[in-house]
């Protein structure tokens, strides 16, 4: 979550459009999962961050309990 916030901050400073920011963050999270070897804790955090980014992209409400349940599956 902290790394995706850092990437988002960096992309905002570069004035990258919001949709492109979200896609870049999603790509970065997949890349981060690959580097760490798809460990459980990294997968859970990345899935939660991805759900947050997808909810921002679609304009839907982010429900942390539902996302937590999805990440445990």
């Amino acid at each position: 979550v902290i790394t995706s916030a850092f990437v988002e901050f960096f992309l905002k400073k570069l004035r990258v459009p919001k949709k492109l920011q979200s896609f870049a963050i999603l790509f970065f999270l997949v890349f981060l999962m690959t580097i760490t070897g798809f460990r459980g804790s990294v997968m859970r955090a990345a899935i939660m961050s991805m759900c947050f980014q997808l909810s921002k992209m679609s304009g839907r409400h982010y429900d942390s309990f539902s996302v937590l349940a999805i990440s445990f599956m």
Side-chain angles (χ1 to χ4, degrees):
V1 174
I2 293 172
T3 54
S4 62
F6 176 73
V7 170
E8 185 175 8
F9 174 76
F10 181 70
L11 292 174
K12 279 184 182 179
K13 289 294 181 186
L14 293 175
R15 297 185 180 172
V16 176
K18 290 190 182 242
K19 281 214 177 222
L20 189 58
Q21 283 180 15
S22 294
F23 283 119
I25 290 170
L26 290 174
F27 176 76
F28 175 75
L29 290 171
V30 171
F31 178 71
L32 185 68
M33 286 189 304
T34 305
I35 288 175
T36 59
F38 295 98
R39 302 212 183 257
S41 59
V42 176
M43 290 279 292
R44 185 173 55 249
I47 289 171
M48 292 179 73
S49 294
M50 286 178 181
C51 288
F52 177 71
Q53 288 300 323
L54 291 172
S55 70
K56 279 178 39 177
M57 287 173 62
S58 66
R60 293 185 178 204
H61 177 68
Y62 177 77
D63 181 24
S64 58
F65 290 117
S66 297
V67 172
L68 187 61
I70 290 170
S71 68
F72 279 123
M73 293 177 122

